[in-house]
Amino acid sequence: MLHTLEQEIIGHLRLDEWQTADHDQKKSIMQGLFQLAKDAFQLDIQLLFSMPFGFEAAYGLADPVTGDIRVNEAKWPACDPIEPLYYFLHELRHAIQSSRPELFPREIEINSRYMIQFDGIGYKVDGDDVITVKLEGSRGYFTDLYLASPSERDANLFAYRCLKAAGASGRLEQIHAMWTPKFHYFTEENAPDEFMKTVSEIERLSNEKRA
């Protein structure tokens, strides 16, 4: 199913149309691609173009509880035309990860419930609740860990593959490189162990917070 959707999205991507589309037309193109995913996986989610308080600087966001995705249209005028599409596809993949975890490897299913941010903020999704904890460590370490986390790598590769197959280049390669983990603090081979160690710490701190 995942491969079929990817091929459908690639088949519907028309980068020449995207490049010349105005703001509202770009939103319409995204909504069409979004509908493909909703129909394929019977998803009960929304696509929104505004960001919640505290996330105004982000390019996009996937709600880990509802599965809704947000793409920050306020950033579009100042960025390369391919970037909004990249971040839309990235967040769309996150929505599928959280809504249909059985389709993904176990580490991505775990990552859809335990999330790490650049600044060491960790989240545990517990039903309709999200428990927030502060992890100990440097920003550099958590940047590496965030970029190397299973769901982030999967979402970035998905967006990259779709746009590459549709004929994008240049800025696409730069965006992909920017979101590729650098492994300054641990090796690629050790990344899964580092991730699971952090998941255990998020679980411990979440339990303490609930106590």
Side-chain angles (χ1 to χ4, degrees):
M1 290 180 69
L2 291 171
H3 179 72
T4 300
L5 175 64
E6 187 169 326
Q7 293 305 306
E8 284 191 25
I9 287 175
I10 292 167
H12 280 78
L13 280 173
R14 299 288 185 270
L15 294 186
D16 54 343
E17 293 179 10
W18 174 264
Q19 297 282 359
T20 58
D22 64 25
H23 191 95
D24 287 339
Q25 288 170 335
K26 283 182 166 67
K27 290 170 71 171
S28 180
I29 290 169
M30 285 185 184
Q31 287 164 339
L33 297 172
F34 181 69
Q35 193 63 46
L36 284 177
K38 284 189 68 174
D39 292 345
F41 296 106
Q42 300 178 340
L43 304 179
D44 184 18
I45 59 176
Q46 298 183 78
L47 170 60
L48 306 166
F49 293 96
S50 61
M51 301 301 287
F53 178 77
F55 292 89
E56 295 88 351
Y59 285 95
L61 179 71
D63 188 310
V65 174
T66 65
D68 294 344
I69 68 173
R70 294 176 179 267
V71 184
N72 192 352
E73 65 177 324
K75 281 189 165 289
W76 297 2
C79 66
D80 185 273
I82 205 68
E83 292 185 54
L85 201 48
Y86 182 95
Y87 293 116
F88 161 73
L89 291 168
H90 176 104
E91 301 304 340
L92 179 62
R93 185 70 162 194
H94 279 323
I96 300 169
Q97 289 169 352
S98 61
S99 299
R100 297 294 302 274
E102 73 278 5
L103 299 176
F104 293 88
R106 184 172 181 271
E107 60 268 23
I108 292 178
E109 185 273 327
I110 293 170
N111 202 174
S112 69
R113 292 182 289 114
Y114 295 87
M115 290 156 284
I116 305 126
Q117 294 298 313
F118 296 101
D119 54 2
I121 299 297
Y123 302 96
K124 177 187 177 182
V125 179
D126 187 11
D128 291 334
D129 295 329
V130 178
I131 304 169
T132 304
V133 300
K134 183 67 176 74
L135 300 159
E136 291 297 323
S138 71
R139 187 178 182 89
Y141 171 80
F142 286 116
T143 296
D144 256 9
L145 192 60
Y146 169 79
L147 293 176
S149 62
S151 62
E152 285 302 312
R153 296 196 76 179
D154 176 71
N156 282 316
L157 284 170
F158 172 75
Y160 176 77
R161 286 195 308 265
C162 288
L163 291 172
K164 185 76 170 177
S169 59
R171 181 57 180 155
L172 174 63
E173 301 299 333
Q174 295 173 347
I175 299 169
H176 181 57
M178 181 173 67
W179 296 107
T180 297
K182 307 304 185 290
F183 299 110
H184 293 308
Y185 290 81
F186 46 83
T187 65
E188 185 168 6
E189 291 74 20
N190 288 338
D193 290 339
E194 293 294 322
F195 170 69
M196 289 307 301
K197 181 176 71 175
T198 304
V199 166
S200 296
E201 183 64 3
I202 293 172
E203 178 69 13
R204 183 186 72 81
L205 293 170
S206 298
N207 289 337
E208 286 183 359
K209 201 168 186 177
R210 279 195 176 280

